[in-house]
Amino acid sequence: MTSAEQAAATAGSARPLDAAELAALRADFPLLGRTVRDEKPLVYLDAAATSQKPQAVLDAERAFSSRHNAAVHRGAHQLAEEATEAYEQARAAVAGFVGVDVDELVWTKNATEALNLVTHAYLNATLGRGGAAAAEFALSAGDEIVVTEAEHHANLVPWQELCARTGARLRWIGVSDDGRLDPETFDVIGERTRVVALTHASNVTGAISPVADVVAAARAVGAHVVLDACQSAAHLPLDLHSLEVDFAAFSGHKMLGPTGVGALYGRRELLEAMPPFLTGGSMVETVTMESTTFAAPPQRFEAGTQMVAQTVGLHAAVDYLSQVGMDRLAAHEERLTRRLLDGVAGVPGVRVLGPTEPQERLAVVAFAVDGVHPHDVGQVLDDSGLAVRVGHHCAQPVHRRLGVHASARASAGIHTTEAEVDAFIEGLHRVNSFFGVAGGEHG
Amino acid sequence: MAESLEQLYQQVILDHSRQRHGAGDLEPCDGESFQVNPTCGDEVTLKVRLSSDAEGVRIASLGWEGQGCSISQASLSVLHDLVDGRPVEEVEELDALFRELMHGRGQPLGDEKLERLDDASAFVGVAKYPARIKCALLGWMALRDALVQARS
């Protein structure tokens, strides 16, 4: 069974949220109560860009700042102790939430920084930093790094830069017409491959990657696997140890947490061997005028004063998600995916970019409307209070592969209702009618 | 239909977004500019040819090729009609006026100025949507850049 099948099976066995549960849950999100564009109720369908936050997250940040604020891992006063404890408790909670050990989780400001931390470990090792222990990260000409055509720019551009600086060659797994990774192209993983970096779920097509298959191919040639878990972390039960990836990155703000905090998971032996990325205060052991020795992970990778209140907020966010239950959340969202796909299929001239079956995909539905530019689609939806994303969603190559410059995208979250999905479908009909295409009439 | 949406997408804009004046006419030129809106990937290549007479330098012809939303495409089409054949000095004044319109948050610009902008005054509704101002300005940015190229 692939990891995607496991996730689907887990979701399949759980009960979706019922109407009363969903109503109670929605009341936890203060922002959902506001109106937009002339007093229209907000329908927030941009969870894949950033999630809204439950009151518990806002309260946790405020309580920390009101009562316990101090710099962590320095100072012997009581506040410093409390702040350090809150910071490390948050690390333990988030590590537990994604199925890893506490010392394998490094705080970063977001997933982008986490992925750059990894690429710079390879770069710095290639330059000789980290000594013999870091040798397995050193790259040379002829080495290959494999990514996929479905990547967000955050898991593509840093690897391009790494290749440009080290002489390694960038190769990629292709995307098939239905927006899934094309298994026919997995053979780009070969003897020269040193790293395979892939997304767990595409932020455009919603397709869940067959991680187990890619990990098996990478293992067979001794390559590391780096997983971008930004889209999956708030939508699927996540167990990074059982996925057997070497690194994984995710952002707090996409999983009900604050902006300004994200995390990198790294397998313990690898983090111990890696040279640091950002350097400065807090990540050192001994500093002389000539040289410095570095702290053990995870502190080695946490230079400078950290975003403590945000880690506390993220702690509250993962507690909230766990309380709902990730299996039940996944079941809820699978039902929404089905309704989204069925609804979109009934609107003339609308093409989904990605799998049109709800299995092995998330409730992230990007689409093109014949004869109407995505910006204009988004504008008409916005006028009805429907917040969707428009543009290339920081993933130009997958758009190009699927034959469009840009798209509009509706993405559901924990708080999305079936009535909101229906309002979105109604909005798509209005788009056609407003621009007088697909048989509709202007006005 | 909501009033604000009708204000944004005035009929003249919808018409120009379908019948794009000057689109595809890319003859040899004196100045050329490629502009892209990085937030959505919209892009345009615009070319101008200049001519000189006793009254000064004027735009002898203007052509463009691009892809993008109705606002950016209509703005290019209107821009074509407005500046084709005009003295460069006047074009620069119109550019400044259009910018004033875009950054006015939908405030009235005054009849005289609106009259000078002709069809371009229809973009007044765009100014209320900060995310769309770049769309309307894409062609004007390309024109300004192409004029710099042409005169250097």
Side-chain angles (χ1 to χ4, degrees), chain B:
Chain B
M1 192 55 65
E3 200 184 318
S4 51
L5 204 59
E6 297 286 15
Q7 259 177 25
L8 173 64
Y9 293 111
Q10 295 190 25
Q11 195 58 46
V12 61
I13 293 180
L14 292 174
D15 291 345
H16 272 281
S17 75
R18 291 177 188 128
Q19 294 290 328
R20 302 166 181 187
H21 302 171
D25 300 337
L26 293 183
E27 293 166 4
C29 64
D30 301 316
E32 172 178 347
S33 174
F34 173 74
Q35 297 288 326
V36 56
N37 182 347
T39 57
C40 57
D42 287 2
E43 56 190 44
V44 63
T45 300
L46 182 146
K47 295 186 177 186
V48 288
R49 201 158 49 76
L50 302 181
S51 65
S52 296
D53 54 30
E55 294 170 34
V57 183
R58 63 176 65 237
I59 293 180
S61 74
L62 178 151
W64 58 277
E65 235 168 41
Q67 64 83 33
C69 65
S70 60
I71 301 295
S72 72
Q73 301 300 287
S75 184
L76 275 152
S77 176
V78 167
L79 167 75
H80 168 270
D81 290 0
L82 195 60
V83 308
D84 205 20
R86 280 217 201 225
V88 168
E89 208 168 294
E90 268 183 54
V91 170
E92 284 169 349
E93 287 167 19
L94 290 169
D95 181 25
L97 274 185
F98 192 72
R99 243 157 246 283
E100 192 182 337
L101 181 75
M102 284 300 101
H103 294 124
R105 288 241 154 206
Q107 292 304 307
L109 201 56
D111 289 346
E112 190 203 338
K113 288 176 176 177
L114 288 178
E115 208 166 302
R116 287 194 69 194
L117 283 173
D118 203 355
D119 276 357
S121 64
F123 290 85
V124 62
V126 177
K128 288 184 192 160
Y129 297 93
R132 304 304 297 275
I133 292 173
K134 267 191 197 166
C135 309
L137 287 176
L138 189 69
W140 289 87
M141 285 172 59
L143 174 61
R144 194 163 357 134
D145 186 42
L147 285 176
V148 170
Q149 311 285 335
R151 303 173 86 187
S152 64

Side-chain angles (χ1 to χ4, degrees), chain A residues 94-312:
Chain A
V94 174
F97 182 75
V98 297
V100 304
D101 295 335
V102 63
D103 56 347
E104 296 179 311
L105 193 102
V106 177
W107 293 124
T108 61
K109 78 173 179 196
N110 51 30
T112 298
E113 186 185 278
L115 292 163
N116 275 274
L117 193 165
V118 177
T119 59
H120 280 78
Y122 289 98
L123 174 64
N124 291 338
T126 304
L127 296 171
R129 302 299 296 157
E136 75 170 300
F137 291 93
L139 299 171
S140 48
D143 285 343
E144 294 180 352
I145 290 169
V146 171
V147 294
T148 88
E149 213 175 1
E151 296 312 306
H152 186 286
H153 298 161
N155 201 27
L156 170 59
V157 181
W159 298 109
Q160 289 176 340
E161 283 296 303
L162 179 63
C163 287
R165 291 171 196 193
T166 59
R169 178 185 177 206
L170 190 72
R171 305 192 67 183
W172 50 89
I173 290 168
V175 164
S176 52
D177 291 344
D178 73 345
R180 294 190 190 277
L181 298 188
D182 183 357
E184 305 262 306
T185 63
F186 286 5
D187 60 6
V188 293
I189 301 172
E191 289 303 322
R192 292 169 180 271
T193 307
R194 301 290 311 282
V195 188
V196 181
L198 79 160
T199 187
H200 194 185
S202 163
N203 71 317
V204 176
T205 69
I208 298 170
S209 302
V211 177
D213 298 345
V214 175
V215 166
R219 283 281 168 274
V221 297
H224 295 150
V225 177
V226 181
L227 190 72
D228 173 358
C230 278
Q231 289 303 327
S232 54
H235 304 281
L236 295 176
L238 197 55
D239 185 343
L240 294 173
H241 273 173
S242 69
L243 285 176
E244 295 185 20
V245 294
D246 298 293
F247 297 98
F250 50 94
S251 282
H253 72 92
K254 289 195 200 290
M255 46 198 294
L256 315 188
T259 51
V261 62
L264 173 72
Y265 155 70
R267 197 151 54 78
R268 181 179 292 107
E269 310 86 89
L270 296 178
L271 287 182
E272 279 169 1
M274 274 162 57
F277 168 35
L278 300 176
T279 57
S282 307
M283 49 77 70
V284 300
E285 281 176 349
T286 305
V287 180
T288 66
M289 288 312 293
E290 290 77 25
S291 64
T292 295
T293 58
F294 302 121
Q299 274 73 31
R300 184 187 303 164
F301 305 103
E302 294 174 1
T305 300
Q306 295 294 298
M307 61 311 261
V308 190
Q310 287 90 331
T311 65
V312 171

